[in-house]
Amino acid sequence: MATGSSDSKRSRPRSARPRVSVLRVGHRIGRDPRLTTHLALAARALGADRMFLEPPDPELAARVAALARRWGGSFSVEGVDDWKRVVREFAGEVVHLTMYGEPLDRALPRLRTARDLLLVVGGAKVPPEMYRLADRNVAVGPQPHSEVAAVAIVLDRILGVPGPAGFRGARQRIVPRARGKKVVAVRRGR
Ligand code: SAM
């Protein structure tokens, strides 16, 4: 990743970082489960606290919850029927990620110092009102790509990749190694 990317050694302490929520609008139940699941997993692994999902998809939320029980942390997927309500009532900065927005590098200083951030991503189509209701529209490059890539890059730039301490209550954890796989059970109380 280009300049500004970070690894776990450079991730910011939890007390100094914004709390980040993700809102995914326009999820198509039955057509998007894999993509939206990847969005939730990337958001969770890169430090977001929760994902609002419009419309709700209880099966997807349950699958992510099962994974989170095993791998730790408090990330959850909350179904919402009315995305406008989430945007209007969010007590923080609402950042709609779109290729038409202002460049990420320009918005970053403001995003890094916010207390609460809502990163909004769409699917095939985004309701036009989103551009007006969001506090800002931010582009991760002026080319179309993917909601997963957009959220992952923004989280990396804002928070850095969290280490194991970000996933309390995990039942298992990976022992990082250059070759092979090692996964160990975590004893209760850690
Ligand atoms: N025309 C869309 C747009 O406004 O960015 C691209 C649709 S893309 C299939 C689905 C979602 O990915 C978008 O709603 C947006 O949230 C995100 N996305 C795609 N490219 C992006 C970019 N360059 N910058 C920020 N977000 C992007």
Side-chain angles (χ1 to χ4, degrees), residues 8 11 14 72-73 162-169 173:
S8 58
S11 77
R14 280 185 87 76
F167 300 94
R168 296 204 183 284
R173 74 179 172 82

Side-chain angles (χ1 to χ4, degrees), residues 97-100 121-123 126 131 138-141 143-147 150:
L97 301 181
T98 166
M99 63 185 186
Y100 303 107
V121 290
V126 175
Y131 293 82
V138 170
V140 183
Q143 300 290 328
H145 47 81
S146 139
E147 46 272 54

Side-chain angles (χ1 to χ4, degrees), residues 3 17 43 46 96 126-127 132 135 145 154:
T3 3
R17 49 156 257 181
L46 295 171
H96 171 216
V126 175
R132 183 176 54 80
D135 293 309
H145 47 81
V154 172

